[in-house]
Amino acid sequence: YTHLIARKVRELGVYAEVRASETPAAELTHARGVIISGGPSSVYEEGSPTIDPALLRSGQAMLGICYGQQLMSYLLDGEVRKGDKGEYGIAHLELGASNGNPLFAGVKDSQQVWMSHRDTVYRPPSGFSVLASTSTCAVAAIGNPETRQYAVQFHTEVVHTHEGRKILHN
């Protein structure tokens, strides 16, 4: 996941480094933004990847993708639950209160995305709004424009997410 995301960001003309999830926030102060990637773990598994919580208070722009959305929500006191059923494959995303939100600027209100998850964000962290949903994932995208932190449950980096490149660009 991580290397594909980095490649897609580089294709947009943006310098991107891949760093281990446990990299201290102090080592990332030069970064204009941080992407927390997807992965097969659950935030509740012992030894699952995590980040330095100081990163979430750094003021840097941030995007969580898949597990990244779950991890951001979990660390910011949102609620992540084991899903009743997983969502794997093509899904249809419906934008909600995202009108005017910079993450979805210029993308269609209804679009095809690629999902691959079991756990889901049930309640976003304080200050975050739900921006999009699917038929089986009520919290498919969240955002807090004040902190410049956004997250999506779907995979922006794959071709099956038709507007993924535009979302990454935003």
Side-chain angles (χ1 to χ4, degrees):
Y1 305 101
T2 304
H3 291 280
L4 182 55
I5 293 166
R7 189 183 92 212
K8 294 295 183 177
V9 169
R10 290 178 191 126
E11 287 173 357
L12 292 168
V14 176
Y15 176 75
E17 293 179 8
V18 173
R19 296 287 192 99
S21 64
E22 58 275 351
T23 301
E27 291 183 23
L28 300 172
T29 57
H30 69 283
R32 292 181 57 204
V34 175
I35 297 175
I36 304 169
S37 128
S41 298
S42 169
V43 295
Y44 296 111
E45 290 174 9
E46 189 172 328
S48 63
T50 192
I51 61 168
D52 180 348
L55 192 59
L56 296 167
R57 298 183 301 277
S58 70
Q60 292 166 297
M62 188 169 299
L63 175 64
I65 298 175
C66 191
Y67 178 77
Q69 173 172 282
Q70 297 164 16
L71 184 61
M72 285 174 63
S73 295
Y74 178 74
L75 292 174
L76 290 169
D77 294 324
E79 186 177 349
V80 179
R81 291 186 181 173
K82 292 266 186 208
D84 292 331
K85 63 181 185 176
E87 188 171 28
Y88 303 100
I90 291 173
H92 295 282
L93 187 77
E94 297 293 331
L95 300 185
S98 60
N99 292 344
N101 190 285
L103 183 64
F104 292 111
V107 301
K108 298 174 187 169
D109 288 343
S110 181
Q111 58 189 279
Q112 177 182 299
V113 297
W114 184 263
M115 292 283 200
S116 181
H117 68 100
R118 181 149 185 95
D119 292 357
T120 189
V121 174
Y122 181 76
R123 182 182 45 80
S126 179
F128 282 76
S129 298
V130 176
L131 304 177
S133 62
T134 70
S135 62
T136 59
C137 183
V139 183
I142 59 176
N144 183 337
E146 289 181 23
T147 62
R148 300 181 311 143
Q149 295 174 332
Y150 298 91
V152 296
Q153 186 59 65
F154 55 93
H155 288 269
T156 56
E157 71 276 16
V158 299
V159 297
H160 305 310
T161 297
H162 291 171
E163 304 260 14
R165 181 179 174 92
K166 180 68 175 166
I167 294 166
L168 281 175
H169 176 266
N170 291 345

